[in-house]
Amino acid sequence: MQPSPFTLRTGIYPEIDPTHLSGSLAGQNALVTGSGRGIGREMALALAQAGANVVVTGRTASQVNETVDLIKKLEGGAVGQAFGIVADVLDRTDLARLVEESTSVLPGGHIDILLCNAGSNMFQPFHLTDATEWWDIMELNVRAPVELTRLVLPGMRARNRGTLVYTSSRAATADLPWTTAYNCAKTAITRFAGTLQAELDSDPTSGPTNAIRCFSIHPGEIETSLHESAFPEKTRKEAPYIVEHMAKLGAKRPHFEGVLPAWTCVWLSVPSDKREALKGKYVDCTRDVGEQAEAAAKAAGKL
């Protein structure tokens, strides 16, 4: 991979400082998949702190309820409301129910911000992978967010307003070994975000200017339970060198905090000319997002 020209960031920095973004999403409604734990939980907390009303969703009721409780304990007058809905994003009937229930509990009955964060990974040589398990990763990381977008987008188009964020990965930009399904999935969802943005911007029915923005993000190598479950027993037994190799890489890697992608998503969700330069783009949360936006604006001849 080519070295990045942008400043490395591992936690909160001035551009995404919560003190500046507090209240910036007041009155907006957000739905965050995979928000019962990990990065998704951090996203839900950040959005609520920024004033958005948030639907927390995941497959495990106890985790969903815990995130909702954490939001309700946040201090500050700008904190948004929290609602928990248990749903399986791989079940199309559940997806429809999720959107229907979300719009029924959210003030105004609409979704302004959709963060498609639910996902999974598995480190395993391709020749050892099970076909069903391989395609399951594709389904969760590609089909689920695409189908959820299909359900949420009509409302955004009707209002000509909305933000769609898809959790991608650096795997979308590099040929990383032992994660063929994950790499393919993250490449696909990154291209989906960019292509959908181009389509929306070219839609003559959206009026003079399309105000729906799509982004794909690399959240950073955040240490979550996903890292623990990414090495199945078959990998540990038949390809232990993978576990050893990834452990060595992890020891050299900076420690990235969950608040980094969370508040980057808040920043991306606040409408402004500065953010416009990044719409449809792949955004690396481990690099200064202000610098990325400035570079994108220059490349587009807007600076």
Side-chain angles (χ1 to χ4, degrees), residues 240-298:
Y241 58 89
I242 295 176
V243 181
E244 296 167 5
H245 179 81
M246 296 307 296
K248 290 178 181 177
L249 284 182
K252 298 177 183 178
R253 186 185 302 127
H255 171 72
F256 296 105
E257 300 174 17
V259 291
L260 179 65
W263 283 95
T264 300
C265 285
V266 170
W267 187 92
L268 290 170
S269 299
V270 178
S272 79
D273 291 340
K274 190 172 188 178
R275 279 78 161 168
E276 287 297 302
L278 287 174
K279 67 179 184 178
K281 301 283 194 299
Y282 163 88
V283 178
D284 186 344
C285 296
T286 70
R287 300 291 168 168
D288 191 294
V289 70
E291 294 175 6
Q292 292 179 71
E294 183 178 351
K298 285 183 178 178

Side-chain angles (χ1 to χ4, degrees), residues 19 22 40 44 71 84 133 145-147 173 211 217 228 247-248 257 280:
T19 59
S22 177
I71 292 174
E133 291 177 348
V146 168
E147 291 309 309
T173 68
I217 64 164
E228 299 171 11
K248 290 178 181 177
E257 300 174 17

